[in-house]
Amino acid sequence: MSQATNYREFGAGSSTVLAATRFRNIRSIMSTDSDEKVVRNLLARADVAPEADSGRLVLRHADVGPVDLWGTPTDSRKSSMWPAYSSYNGSWSDFNPPFWFDMVFVNGHFRVACLLKALKATAPSHISNTVFAVHHYVPRSIAWRLPASGVTQVVDTIMMQFADRVELPAQQIPEQWVNMSREENYAVYDNDNVLTILRKRADCDEMELDKAIAKWEREIQ
């Protein structure tokens, strides 16, 4: 976040507060969440409301139907609306090309689709300047499996068709951000405090990417 200019987030919460209040380098923030209560509570915060009022933060509820405590749809009555959750620009015209987000954080539901659509929206000229971060990538890999010809594939196998992992040694991260992550650790699962960082592959097959998006945009993770 400390180097981002335009920040896209799928799944609102503490990261939204951090982006809006601590990282003044970020000019535009777009965040989507499936839980309307989470959105209302964040917008009611004294430190977040001014950022929304100024237009710097766009925080929207994505209606996917009734949800549980963690924002997961409890039934499929509104499944026709699920693909909209992973919309790259959140149906917000201000974020149409040539605008682009140089940091995308995937931390909500429909994670595979969110990441795939963000990769799709990243033009070749922006690949080297765009970072994708995925929370829960390791512990949730079991939930991200896709049967293919009778063979089970973990999501890492699917993602590596379109993106490369970025190795970021801890010693390269400024100490102030390491300390902040320790102070504000909301980990729920083992390894939950670890982000997977990705960049779009320069040789990404756009037609295969389109097929993957169509396959995954109604799959909940």
Side-chain angles (χ1 to χ4, degrees):
M1 285 186 185
S2 65
Q3 298 181 34
T5 301
N6 301 310
Y7 171 68
R8 177 64 165 112
E9 179 183 73
F10 295 95
S14 59
S15 55
T16 315
V17 177
L18 288 174
T21 63
R22 296 203 186 185
F23 293 94
R24 306 308 305 181
N25 52 287
I26 301 177
R27 298 175 187 171
S28 300
I29 303 166
M30 173 73 205
S31 183
T32 302
D33 200 271
S34 56
D35 190 330
E36 189 173 14
K37 183 178 180 181
V38 168
V39 173
R40 287 200 309 267
N41 289 344
L42 285 170
L43 291 175
R45 288 180 57 120
D47 54 351
V48 172
E51 305 304 323
D53 292 341
S54 72
R56 177 171 170 260
L57 167 65
V58 177
L59 176 57
R60 291 289 180 267
H61 168 236
D63 186 4
V64 296
V67 297
D68 63 14
L69 179 63
W70 296 102
T72 308
T74 56
D75 61 53
S76 59
R77 282 178 291 175
K78 290 194 174 182
S79 61
S80 63
M81 300 174 67
W82 290 356
Y85 179 95
S86 51
S87 168
Y88 176 73
N89 68 354
S91 300
W92 201 256
S93 61
D94 288 352
F95 300 141
N96 288 340
F99 180 97
W100 97 97
F101 296 102
D102 56 352
M103 180 175 181
V104 178
F105 181 38
V106 180
N107 190 37
H109 295 288
F110 306 96
R111 295 184 179 217
V112 175
C114 290
L115 181 54
L116 293 175
K117 289 183 181 180
L119 291 170
K120 180 66 180 180
T122 303
S125 59
H126 296 152
I127 288 176
S128 63
N129 299 319
T130 305
V131 172
F132 305 89
V134 184
H135 202 199
H136 302 162
Y137 191 90
V138 174
R140 287 205 181 189
S141 61
I142 295 174
W144 288 18
R145 291 185 177 178
L146 175 68
S149 302
V151 178
T152 300
Q153 294 180 310
V154 295
V155 70
D156 194 50
T157 303
I158 299 163
M159 288 305 164
M160 291 307 103
Q161 299 177 64
F162 313 115
D164 291 320
R165 289 195 186 202
V166 177
E167 297 296 331
L168 187 61
Q171 59 268 28
Q172 292 184 14
I173 305 175
E175 186 176 357
Q176 68 182 108
W177 307 131
V178 174
N179 291 337
M180 180 188 293
S181 69
R182 289 170 177 163
E183 293 169 2
E184 307 198 19
N185 180 14
Y186 296 95
V188 176
Y189 308 103
D190 290 339
N191 299 324
D192 201 28
N193 60 340
V194 178
L195 291 177
T196 293
I197 308 300
L198 303 163
R199 285 194 195 277
K200 185 176 181 178
R201 292 177 61 117
D203 62 352
C204 176
D205 187 322
E206 299 294 335
M207 292 183 66
E208 289 300 316
L209 182 53
D210 287 337
K211 292 177 184 177
I213 289 170
K215 192 175 192 71
W216 282 95
E217 64 181 356
R218 284 184 169 82
E219 297 295 328
I220 304 170
Q221 294 84 33

